[in-house]
Amino acid sequence: MAAGGLLCLAAALGPVLGAARYSPDWASLDARPLPAWFDRAKVGLFVHWGVFSVPAWGSEWFWWHWQGEHRADYERFVRQRFPPAASYADFAPHFTAHDFQPREWARLFRRAGASNIRYGLYHSLLEWFNPLYLSDKESGFKTQNFVLKKTMPELFDLVLKYKPDLIWSDGDWEAPDSYWNSTSFLAWLYNDSPVKDTVVVNDRWCNNCSCHHGGFYNCADKYKPGTLLAHKWEMCSSIDKLSWGYRSNMHIDELMDVASIIEELVQTVSFGGNYLLNVGPTKEGVIVPIFQERLLALGRWLDTNGEAIYESKPWRVQMENSTDTVWYTSKGAVVYAIFLTWPQNSVLQLSAPTASPATQVSMLGLAGALQWREAPEGLLVDLPAVPPSPVCSQPGWAVRLEGVK
């Protein structure tokens, strides 16, 4: 989704319009408005793909569990599968990406619901075993050799070379922003970088930044605030519930089913968040069929119900008080009630909306209006006796409410 016309105009005219400049402190940086495209998008896809995809076992933290914690199960796995004295660097030549088809990935992501693809990059501030980092850590982070010689040059290069729309920072938790030079980098990013008007960042920039500073808030992996937040936030989740990277030893009961994915998406958007769903490709660059199936099912659901998700805003009520299976979003004067289970007797009871003579109710994916009637609280909507084809197999449905308060 393109940025608004006024934003583009301001970017084109630059100093003529007296564009605000941000200073390298959190009070200034946190005051930057979040580029509008991010809130409108609602749905994103995360990809964890790297050398950890070669052992493809345990999790993407393989290196740390093996050589940082010396976990017995990881050490045993390496002894059984790799030559004696194997190092993590020895895995790198096997990260071949022989079957990587970027256009196929893009086609899959579009079919999964990312119809207007924007490009983001994950970046870890720390490196577990980098000698420069370990030396800085030993000094109590009073030296910055790792930051000055590796982290900051790398971040500047990523922005200048690839011009990402989003930087998803991580690996922040051991050191303060004064060590990472986070505020200086973000001031440059917002003031002078080639993506200064469109780039979005998260909140993982120092050991006390999460849920306090940055762009949108992650707060924690798989974060669920359970309430409407004043600040834009994101829930990142993974189809494989035990790992972000690909694991050859995953089992079907360790994967999210489609209903769980839809439930997370709906709850997140109702509470004002964005939903970021992860897959881990193989070392060859293949997104395995079970992950593709989940993504395509999400896309089919959004094909029917995306009107209630994309570019929506939280309504005055986020969910029905009596149940956690009915959630609300809105778009202008229109309210959407998304229900995750088909109601008994095919009558949907909505206590939050107040009807008016102008009230009209319809179901996304179904032509025509639905009959409704007022209840002592709210309204009752008469649904089809059984979920209609092609929406019968959906894990969730949405009704469109016009003329309600």
Side-chain angles (χ1 to χ4, degrees), residues 91-106:
F91 298 156
H94 302 284
F95 183 64
T96 64
H98 282 326
D99 298 315
F100 176 45
Q101 298 292 334
R103 289 184 176 83
E104 289 299 318
W105 281 25

Side-chain angles (χ1 to χ4, degrees), residues 58-60 222 238-247 278:
S59 82
E60 76 289 346
K222 305 183 181 181
S238 184
I239 294 177
D240 181 350
K241 293 182 284 188
L242 301 185
S243 177
W244 300 87
Y246 174 72
R247 296 183 302 136
N278 175 78

Side-chain angles (χ1 to χ4, degrees), residues 24 39 59 66 78 81 128 134 137 188 207 227-228 254 262 318 341-342 346 366 369:
D39 180 60
S59 82
W66 171 34
V78 173
R81 305 288 185 96
W128 291 313
L134 294 176
K137 187 175 179 179
W188 171 82
N207 59 1
T227 189
L228 181 64
E254 297 168 341
I262 300 301
Q318 287 75 61
T341 59
W342 195 263
S346 296
L366 183 66

Side-chain angles (χ1 to χ4, degrees), residues 59 177 220 309 345:
S59 82
D177 55 9
I309 300 294
N345 301 323

